[in-house]
Amino acid sequence: MTKTFYGTSLSSPLMLGTAQYPSPAILADAFARSKASVATVSLRREASTNKAGQDFWQLVQSLNVKILPNTAGCHSVKEAVTTAHMAREVFNTSWIKLEVIGEEDTLQPDIFGLVDAARILIEDGFQVFPYTTEDLVVADKLVSLGCEVLMPWGAPIGSGMGLNNVFGLRALRAHFPEIPLVIDAGLGLPSQAAQAMELGMDAILLNTAVAKAGNPAQMAEAFAKAIDAGQLAASAVPMEPRDLACPSTPLFGQAELS
């Protein structure tokens, strides 16, 4: 099932980060086995002028996937905007995953700075993928500015806790039925990714859960299969939960035994 982001159709709803892998070969294998369609990259590492940075950028290019630069580690509007402009030059794309971090322990987005930075970047021609919370008011402001994608967190970055606020994510989906939603951050297990897709999310962005697994390539493939299963289940229209039991075998026509 293809997904469209800013007019670009992606063959897979899985987006993978490129940091923390044990080796370049394992990173490439994770992309190959999962068939991820997007690679997120951080300018602060990949733009390095040393040979290691250049080799890494060549590896990312060889993956033959869409590149989504990010402003990871930025804590102010100025820092995020400057990093985004540099990333556009280095990676030759108007796509930017916009992060403005506001709290150190949870790495929670600074929603005020996020909105301000998004406004500036959209006016400068960027296609912004904002890393945000499930807050409906913030989401509405971002969409009103011109964001055609929202990337709510599931849980704090790298925590592996899964979906901390299912109600909030479900409400976000209901309020913005036409906006692509990408769960970004906090997933640790394929089952959590399946749950997100069952809620109607459009894609999943992962890094730590794959890169730090005992077998990253195998874990990447497991996530890809779970995402497909969750997406298939959502399109099948799942049954609604009910408070009382309902027998799967009807009583009508059942033989009476004495």
Side-chain angles (χ1 to χ4, degrees), residues 86-170:
M86 294 173 64
R88 181 163 63 179
E89 295 299 318
V90 171
F91 300 114
N92 191 30
T93 178
S94 60
W95 279 21
I96 190 73
K97 178 192 167 189
L98 179 59
E99 297 183 31
V100 183
I101 300 302
E103 203 282 319
E104 282 296 332
D105 290 336
T106 62
L107 298 180
Q108 179 171 327
D110 172 359
I111 56 176
F112 305 103
L114 178 68
V115 170
D116 287 343
R119 179 184 296 108
I120 295 169
L121 292 175
I122 289 170
E123 290 175 352
D124 288 341
F126 283 88
Q127 295 173 316
V128 176
F129 291 67
Y131 168 59
T132 184
T133 66
E134 63 278 13
D135 189 296
L136 294 176
V137 177
V138 176
D140 186 61
K141 290 183 181 298
L142 291 168
V143 171
S144 297
L145 288 173
C147 290
E148 297 181 15
V149 179
L150 296 172
M151 303 185 78
W153 66 345
I157 294 172
S159 68
M161 293 192 293
L163 305 180
N164 277 356
N165 187 356
V166 172
F167 170 80
L169 294 172
R170 187 178 285 116

Side-chain angles (χ1 to χ4, degrees), residues 241-256:
R242 48 173 81 111
D243 293 330
L244 300 176
C246 181
S248 57
T249 302
L251 297 177
F252 181 77
Q254 188 176 27
E256 293 186 12

